[in-house]
Amino acid sequence: MAYESYGSLPSSQQSTTQSGPLVSQRSAVAAHNGNVNNTPWYSQGNAQTDREPPPVFSSQPRGGMTTLGRRGSVLQQRVCRMEAGIDPVDLLCDRLGTWRLSIKSLVKLFKSIHQVESKCAKGYCNSSKDITTPLEHGPGHFLETGGLQEIWLALKDYAIDNGTTHQDYVNFIDRAILPGLRGIKADIKAMITSIRRDSDLKNGDLYQSRLTVDKLVARLDKSIKSMSYTTLDSSHATADPVLCSQAVNHAIVNLHEQENILHNSILDLQKEMSLFDQKIVQSLQLVFCQFQEFQLENNIESPDLITEIVDKLNAIQPQTEWNEFVHRHQLHLVKENAAFKSEWEIQYPNKDHLLSRVIKAGALERKSSILKQWGEEFYVLSPAGYLHGYKSFSHFLENALSPECSIFLPQTSFDMDEIDELDEDCNEFELRGKDGQGKISLEKTFCFRAMNNQDFVEWIQCIHKIMERFKPVPLL
C-alpha cells in the first residue's frame, strides 16, 4: 500500500488552505525578489517607495567561530558575513582613530617645542652668568655710571629677559596647550571605548542569526523534497514543512529585530558623532586662540604667522569636515531616511509552497488524560497530515518545532458517523492514535472540544478531508 502523492492538494482542500506560514493570521504579501549576494531569503525590500532600502550590515563571527563543511566559505561570505554590506561602526571608529592620531601628532609637536624652549631658557640664563662687567675685572678703570659698565649690565639683563620669556613659553605649553590637546585625545579615546563596548552596536549576533536562518531554510527545503519518497508516520512530526516554514519565519523575524536595533543604534551614533566631531574642532579653535593671545602678549616669534594659522582655523565651520566625511562615505553609513526591516516583507524559498501552508489553525480545548479537565491550547492542521498542539499561539510562533503533541491523522481512528449522530450543541470529538512527541509510543485517546459549533464543523471537515486524502491505495 502507498499514500497518494504530495505534489498537489485537491481543489476543495486548497480553498481552506491559508496563504503562507501562520504569523498572526496575516494575509500573504506580494512576492519580493530583493536578493543580496545571491541569498534568496535576505530581503532588501521596501514597501515605502519614498524611503531608502534598509541597510545591509556586514558581520563577523564571535570568538573565532567558523562554519565548516562543503558550503563553508560561500556560506560565510554571502550569507553570514555579508561581506558586501556596510559596517558604519568600524568606519566611525576609524575616523575617531584618525582624529586621535592627528591630535597625538600635535601633542608631539608641542612637546618638541617645549623641549626646545626649555633648553633656550636654560641657555639664556646660563649665558647671563658668563658675562662680567668691566669694573669686576679692574676697579677704577671705567665709569661706574653713564659708561661701558651700563652696556655690559644691559646685555646681561637681555639674556635674563630672554630666558624668562622662553620659560614663560614653556610654562604656557605646560599649563594650557598640552592639557588642552591631551584632553581632546582622552575624550576621543573614551568615545572609541564607549562605542566598542556598546552591545547594541555589535554585529556578531547577526552572523549567528543568519547562519540559523540559512540552516532552517535548508531544513525546510529538505522536508518538502522528502515528502515525495518518505512514508510518513507519527515519528516524522518535526519534519513537517509547516513547522519548518514557521521556524524559518520566526528566525527571520528575530534577525530583522536585531538588524533594526543595530540600525537605530547606528543612527543615534551618527548623530552623536556629528556633535562630537564639531566639539573637537571647537576645542582646537579654543586652544589655538589661547596660543595666539599668548604670542601677541609676549611678542614671541612670528606673531603674523600664528595669526594667519588661527584665522584659517576659525574660518572652518565646526560641521564642515563632518559633512564632507558623510558625503564621501554616504554608501557606507546609514541614511536618515533608510527604511527599517519589516515582518510584512519576509520572503524565503518555499514560503508559498502548498506543503508550507497551514490548512487550519486555532484554539481547541483538550481534556487531560488524568484529571479529565479541559484546557485551551492552540492547534495547527498541516497538509502533511499532522495535527500539532501547542500551549498557546505564541508558543507556535516562537517554537514551532517543539509542539506539545503531534497526531498523525492517517494513523488515527476517526468515525464520521459518530460525529453526525452528536447533538448540535456538542462540540466534542475524539481521535485515537499515537502522539509523535510522546516518549512512549502507545496509542491514546485525544478528546477535543471546539470553541463553538461553527468552529467545530470546520475542524471536522478539515480533518476528514485530510484523512480521505491519505487513504491507502492498492499498488498495481
Side-chain angles (χ1 to χ4, degrees):
M1 308 296 285
Y3 293 121
E4 294 180 300
S5 170
Y6 291 84
S8 61
L9 298 178
S11 58
S12 60
Q13 185 167 316
Q14 292 182 30
S15 64
T16 61
T17 303
Q18 298 186 16
S19 172
L22 187 67
V23 182
S24 66
Q25 303 288 353
R26 61 174 65 95
S27 61
V29 297
H32 180 81
N33 296 320
N35 297 339
V36 179
N37 287 345
N38 299 323
T39 309
W41 54 261
Y42 198 94
S43 173
Q44 252 189 319
N46 176 25
Q48 303 177 12
T49 56
D50 60 331
R51 306 198 71 179
E52 292 286 335
V56 179
F57 298 109
S58 62
S59 61
Q60 296 295 327
R62 294 179 299 172
M65 180 182 65
T66 58
T67 302
L68 304 177
R70 181 171 55 85
R71 300 177 61 232
S73 60
V74 176
L75 179 64
Q76 287 188 33
Q77 292 174 11
R78 294 183 176 178
V79 181
C80 302
R81 294 181 187 271
M82 289 291 176
E83 292 182 347
I86 63 174
D87 191 349
V89 175
D90 265 0
L91 178 61
L92 295 175
C93 285
D94 285 345
R95 177 170 177 81
L96 288 172
T98 303
W99 260 122
R100 186 168 180 266
L101 290 175
S102 301
I103 301 300
K104 187 176 181 179
S105 69
L106 286 180
V107 172
K108 187 176 181 179
L109 169 67
F110 278 98
K111 286 175 69 175
S112 298
I113 294 175
H114 179 281
Q115 293 176 357
V116 171
E117 293 296 325
S118 181
K119 290 179 180 179
C120 286
K122 292 177 181 178
Y124 273 113
C125 291
N126 289 333
S127 65
S128 68
K129 298 176 183 178
D130 294 335
I131 189 170
T132 55
T133 61
L135 289 176
E136 290 176 329
H137 292 288
H141 294 283
F142 298 94
L143 293 172
E144 286 79 4
T145 58
L148 292 174
Q149 175 78 5
E150 292 185 353
I151 302 300
W152 260 252
L153 291 173
L155 289 172
K156 186 173 184 176
D157 291 340
Y158 167 78
I160 294 173
D161 288 344
N162 270 283
T164 302
T165 299
H166 284 284
Q167 186 59 44
D168 288 343
Y169 196 178
V170 170
N171 295 338
F172 175 75
I173 292 175
D174 279 334
R175 182 180 71 249
I177 300 295
L178 289 178
L181 294 177
R182 284 170 176 157
I184 297 173
K185 188 162 71 78
D187 288 344
I188 295 173
K189 182 179 179 180
M191 184 68 167
I192 295 174
T193 302
S194 175
I195 292 173
R196 291 300 188 190
R197 290 180 177 177
D198 191 338
S199 58
D200 289 340
L201 294 173
K202 295 183 183 297
N203 60 17
D205 289 339
L206 296 183
Y207 183 95
Q208 185 60 41
S209 295
R210 289 166 179 168
L211 184 61
T212 299
V213 171
D214 193 75
K215 288 180 178 179
L216 289 172
V217 168
R219 180 173 178 173
L220 171 60
D221 184 65
K222 181 179 179 181
S223 69
I224 290 176
K225 290 178 180 178
S226 68
M227 293 289 115
S228 61
Y229 56 80
T230 302
T231 301
L232 296 179
D233 55 30
S234 58
S235 64
H236 293 84
T238 55
D240 191 336
V242 164
L243 305 191
C244 295
S245 182
Q246 176 53 36
V248 172
N249 192 87
H250 179 64
I252 295 179
V253 169
N254 286 340
L255 174 61
H256 284 187
E257 288 178 357
Q258 292 175 1
E259 290 176 318
N260 287 340
I261 290 173
L262 182 60
H263 180 164
N264 192 61
S265 298
I266 290 176
L267 283 178
D268 292 340
L269 175 61
Q270 289 176 180
K271 294 175 183 177
E272 186 179 358
M273 274 291 298
S274 174
L275 298 175
F276 188 77
D277 212 85
Q278 295 178 47
K279 177 186 174 183
I280 294 175
V281 176
Q282 292 168 342
S283 298
L284 284 174
Q285 290 172 338
L286 177 61
V287 169
F288 279 92
C289 280
Q290 293 175 338
F291 183 45
Q292 180 189 28
E293 290 175 3
F294 176 81
Q295 291 272 5
L296 294 175
E297 289 176 2
N298 294 274
N299 294 319
I300 295 180
E301 63 208 14
S302 307
D304 293 339
L305 178 60
I306 296 300
T307 299
E308 182 181 354
I309 293 174
V310 173
D311 288 345
K312 287 182 178 179
L313 180 58
N314 289 336
I316 300 174
Q317 295 298 317
Q319 70 274 17
T320 299
E321 289 286 350
W322 173 257
N323 291 342
E324 180 61 23
F325 169 78
V326 171
H327 175 71
R328 292 182 181 183
H329 298 277
Q330 57 183 312
L331 298 179
H332 303 283
L333 296 170
V334 177
K335 298 181 180 180
E336 290 287 339
N337 63 338
F340 287 86
K341 291 290 182 69
S342 170
E343 61 183 85
W344 296 95
E345 298 170 357
I346 292 177
Q347 292 294 324
Y348 51 88
N350 296 311
K351 174 184 177 181
D352 296 321
H353 194 281
L354 291 176
L355 291 172
S356 299
R357 300 180 182 181
V358 174
I359 292 179
K360 181 170 176 59
L364 282 174
E365 290 183 322
R366 177 182 165 191
K367 182 184 289 187
S368 63
S369 57
I370 299 177
L371 299 179
K372 306 300 181 182
Q373 294 180 343
W374 293 97
E376 184 177 326
E377 297 177 338
F378 187 81
Y379 284 85
V380 176
L381 182 60
S382 74
Y386 290 98
L387 180 64
H388 301 287
Y390 298 85
K391 291 180 180 179
S392 63
F393 177 55
S394 60
H395 178 197
F396 169 67
L397 291 181
E398 297 171 5
N399 201 5
L401 294 175
S402 299
E404 289 288 299
C405 68
S406 294
I407 307 170
F408 187 53
L409 296 178
Q411 294 180 346
T412 61
S413 58
F414 179 72
D415 193 341
M416 281 296 296
D417 294 334
E418 292 182 5
I419 297 295
D420 293 336
E421 294 175 0
L422 291 175
D423 184 62
E424 290 186 359
D425 296 331
C426 180
N427 299 324
E428 301 177 13
F429 63 95
E430 293 184 356
L431 294 172
R432 182 163 183 80
K434 296 179 180 180
D435 181 1
Q437 303 301 321
K439 295 181 180 180
I440 302 177
S441 182
L442 297 176
E443 285 195 358
K444 58 185 297 186
T445 300
F446 299 89
C447 300
F448 297 101
R449 183 168 64 187
M451 298 295 102
N452 52 61
N453 187 257
Q454 180 181 353
D455 198 35
F456 168 76
V457 172
E458 291 177 0
W459 276 109
I460 295 302
Q461 289 177 346
C462 290
I463 292 173
H464 179 65
K465 289 176 181 177
I466 282 288
M467 298 185 73
E468 286 293 314
R469 175 179 166 237
F470 278 87
K471 276 186 177 180
V473 293
L475 294 175
L476 299 179

